[in-house]
Amino acid sequence: MSNPPGEGLKPLVLVVDDYQDAREMYAEYLEFSGFRVAEAKNGAEALDKAFELLPDVILMDLSLPVIDGWEATRRLKSDERTKTIPVVALTGHALTGQPGGAQDAGCDSFVIKPCLPDALVEEVKRMLAGRKTLPAR
């Protein structure tokens, strides 16, 4: 089955969160805002889907079962296939005491949960705009 016209042009966002309600809320709002969405419920699933789908942006909860978001991000950023994909850390913590923690793990930015859906969409758009300005290699 082929995609509807223009479907392939929509950026793909991988939403990684172990809390189903949060995943569904983010996914629904992102789809409403014109994105395609894939979901993962733990770090291992996030890695599998990221390598398979090569999304345009990854929203990564840092507190995940199986493999936490910190380690999943480090693995994504150390792999040639996924190292340039922007990762936005989703965290319920203000990263106090770890000001560079998210960046050290390879996250390109972070959003404190709970966040307004508009703020999340704006951050995704900001990451996509930044990615497009990178020189092609």
Side-chain angles (χ1 to χ4, degrees):
M1 188 184 291
S2 63
N3 288 337
E7 187 71 22
L9 302 176
K10 293 179 182 179
L12 176 62
V13 180
L14 175 59
V15 178
V16 185
D17 198 311
D18 59 325
Y19 188 53
Q20 183 177 348
D21 288 348
R23 250 191 354 263
E24 289 175 357
M25 180 191 68
Y26 297 145
E28 190 172 306
Y29 201 81
L30 286 161
E31 287 171 348
F32 174 77
S33 300
F35 297 97
R36 293 177 299 134
V37 178
E39 298 179 29
K41 62 183 176 291
N42 61 56
E45 192 174 292
L47 292 170
D48 290 343
K49 290 207 174 176
F51 294 138
E52 175 192 345
L53 302 173
L54 299 176
D56 296 287
V57 176
I58 299 170
L59 300 178
M60 179 76 73
D61 184 15
L62 296 177
S63 300
L64 293 170
V66 186
I67 298 172
D68 68 27
W70 301 96
E71 180 60 24
T73 299
R74 279 190 284 272
R75 292 185 192 183
L76 290 168
K77 291 299 186 173
S78 66
D79 190 288
E80 286 298 314
R81 298 168 290 177
T82 53
K83 70 179 185 181
T84 62
I85 298 172
V87 176
V88 177
L90 297 175
T91 180
H93 314 289
L95 299 175
T96 51
Q98 304 174 323
Q103 280 81 14
D104 290 346
C107 295
D108 297 281
S109 72
F110 69 93
V111 173
I112 306 292
K113 297 191 307 186
C115 64
L116 294 173
D118 284 339
L120 193 63
V121 168
E122 285 308 308
E123 190 59 24
V124 168
K125 288 179 179 176
R126 192 175 78 79
M127 290 291 102
L128 287 169
R131 188 172 188 203
K132 287 182 178 130
T133 60
L134 293 175
R137 294 184 187 224

